[in-house]
Amino acid sequence: MSVLFQGKLIENLSFGHLLQIGGRAENKDSWLSISLALGGCGEVEMFDIPFHMLVDVANEKIEFKQLLNGQWLEVDSEEFETEKFRQHFSVTIAVDEKKFYVAINGESLTFVRYTGPQMKLAYLMIDGNLITLNQVDHRKYFALTWPPAQICQGKDGLDFTHDIPCPLQPGNIMVLTMKLLGKADGWLRINFHNATNSKRIEVHINLRFNLRQIIRNSKLPKKNPDVVEWGDEETKGDFPFDDISKPFKLALGFTKKSVKMAKDGIFLFKYGYRTAHVLPRLTGAKITGQYGMIARVLGVEHLLSDNPKCKGFEQYSDSS
């Protein structure tokens, strides 16, 4: 099943969690669907989908369904001024012990009861006629807010933001499936900020296509604790990006003292953190294209290796 975005969450969506999904619909014949499933993407009919939201922009209607034991159930239908989806929109899905609460652009819409077994919602699928999908943030609002410092997508002009609801730990692997549009000699930036101080960019990965280099750096305080500055760039390594017209995968393996990246099953680099013990304070990925390049994120998959040094993580970057 081909969808606009699919992924596996870093933690099951459960009480105290919320998803914030942002983008912009096309002008004509637009629709949007958001599904939360108990099983893997691409095998929908084999797994329960306790939450399915379908936005019919043309008919100004939002429908909610559930797929339980192979049967689709109509749950709710709401009239809504769906023209708002043709501007930048934000859908928030907050979860308590028995319900999904849905808000559009910060305004409460409805709630959907969860009627299945104990939640193990780990898979997200988004589809539709969208010009952009630039936000898939997974956050925790109770009992502890995480991340504590949250970056506003609209303010920062990101192509994609992906907060995570928990601290990273050694062995976490993040797999990004991406496609690049626009100018072929632009830049692609992937940043991981400090969760308690968003000005600090703890890990900065910059794919500079004009120079055919992958830059690694950090933006941290030096003399003045209130002023962050770029450090020395690391550039050693190959640049395996000859054809940007096709989607590709990047695997990022997080260890106690460094992050590693691979593409096409091949190791590219290891970058040592420049702040001691910072791994649990890293945010999710903030991604943007520069100088005419545009990043489209098609999927984010989170895995946890039983090896804290992420041995063998390269295999998850293989697109073949």
Side-chain angles (χ1 to χ4, degrees):
M1 175 179 164
S2 177
V3 296
L4 189 68
F5 175 94
Q6 60 184 22
K8 183 177 185 296
L9 304 176
I10 193 169
E11 283 189 349
N12 292 343
L13 194 69
S14 57
F15 177 44
H17 288 232
L18 66 81
L19 287 174
Q20 195 159 13
I21 297 166
R24 182 181 175 187
E26 294 180 358
N27 289 330
K28 294 182 179 180
D29 300 323
S30 299
W31 62 279
L32 164 71
S33 71
I34 302 171
S35 300
L36 295 168
L38 300 183
C41 303
E43 300 174 322
V44 171
E45 300 302 328
M46 295 178 61
F47 298 97
D48 285 352
I49 301 178
F51 181 93
H52 177 78
M53 173 180 173
L54 176 63
V55 180
D56 185 345
V57 178
N59 294 310
E60 297 191 337
K61 183 187 293 185
I62 300 178
E63 297 178 348
F64 296 91
K65 300 180 180 180
Q66 294 176 334
L67 178 64
L68 301 174
N69 300 318
Q71 299 293 321
W72 281 105
L73 306 174
E74 302 282 344
V75 177
D76 192 11
S77 179
E78 297 283 339
E79 293 185 356
F80 188 79
E81 189 182 348
T82 51
E83 184 68 24
K84 294 180 180 180
F85 282 85
R86 293 193 174 112
Q87 305 168 18
H88 186 272
F89 66 82
S90 176
V91 176
T92 302
I93 305 166
V95 185
D96 74 3
E97 293 172 304
K98 296 183 179 180
K99 303 183 187 76
F100 303 98
Y101 292 87
V102 181
I104 311 293
N105 297 338
E107 297 182 7
S108 177
L109 176 66
T110 188
F111 67 83
V112 177
R113 288 189 179 276
Y114 183 82
T115 57
Q118 184 178 4
M119 272 195 265
K120 293 183 180 179
L121 291 169
Y123 295 89
L124 170 67
M125 291 169 281
I126 302 170
D127 206 358
N129 296 331
L130 300 184
I131 298 173
T132 60
L133 176 68
N134 50 18
Q135 182 181 21
V136 180
D137 282 329
H138 180 190
R139 296 168 177 162
K140 187 175 291 183
Y141 68 88
F142 182 84
L144 176 69
T145 300
W146 194 268
Q150 298 178 0
I151 298 171
C152 174
Q153 177 274 329
K155 177 181 176 181
D156 292 272
L158 299 170
D159 286 346
F160 191 77
T161 169
H162 181 65
D163 277 342
I164 54 176
C166 58
L168 288 169
Q169 58 181 299
N172 274 124
I173 298 170
M174 180 185 299
V175 183
L176 302 170
T177 302
M178 306 177 64
K179 185 175 183 180
L180 301 177
L181 306 173
K183 293 187 176 180
D185 60 351
W187 292 8
L188 172 65
R189 295 160 55 106
I190 305 172
N191 288 338
F192 294 88
H193 293 250
N194 190 300
T196 58
N197 182 352
S198 62
K199 292 182 179 180
R200 297 173 63 108
I201 302 176
E202 301 290 349
V203 176
H204 170 72
I205 301 168
N206 191 334
L207 282 65
R208 296 180 181 173
F209 285 79
N210 60 327
L211 302 176
R212 295 188 61 80
Q213 289 183 329
I214 303 177
I215 307 299
R216 290 85 71 190
N217 206 343
S218 298
K219 193 173 186 180
L220 305 169
K222 291 185 178 179
K223 297 180 181 179
N224 186 337
D226 297 323
V227 178
V228 292
E229 303 176 48
W230 290 111
D232 295 332
E233 294 181 347
E234 297 182 15
T235 62
K236 186 178 179 180
D238 295 331
F239 190 86
F241 296 89
D242 295 320
D243 183 3
I244 70 165
S245 66
K246 298 178 181 179
F248 60 91
K249 288 185 178 182
L250 298 175
L252 294 154
F254 296 88
T255 72
K256 184 178 181 179
K257 296 184 179 180
S258 65
V259 59
K260 302 185 284 187
M261 192 169 88
K263 179 181 181 289
D264 299 326
I266 300 172
F267 175 85
L268 295 180
F269 66 79
K270 179 174 74 172
Y271 178 69
Y273 311 129
R274 297 180 181 177
T275 301
H277 312 297
V278 78
L279 176 61
R281 299 198 299 277
L282 294 185
T283 64
K286 308 295 177 181
I287 300 171
T288 190
Q290 288 187 305
Y291 303 110
M293 180 168 280
I294 302 169
R296 291 288 179 262
V297 178
L298 309 178
V300 182
E301 182 179 10
H302 291 277
L303 306 159
L304 181 60
S305 172
D306 57 7
N307 185 297
K309 295 185 178 181
C310 296
K311 184 178 179 180
F313 85 103
E314 297 90 346
Q315 64 183 303
Y316 299 108
S317 68
D318 192 349
S319 300
S320 59

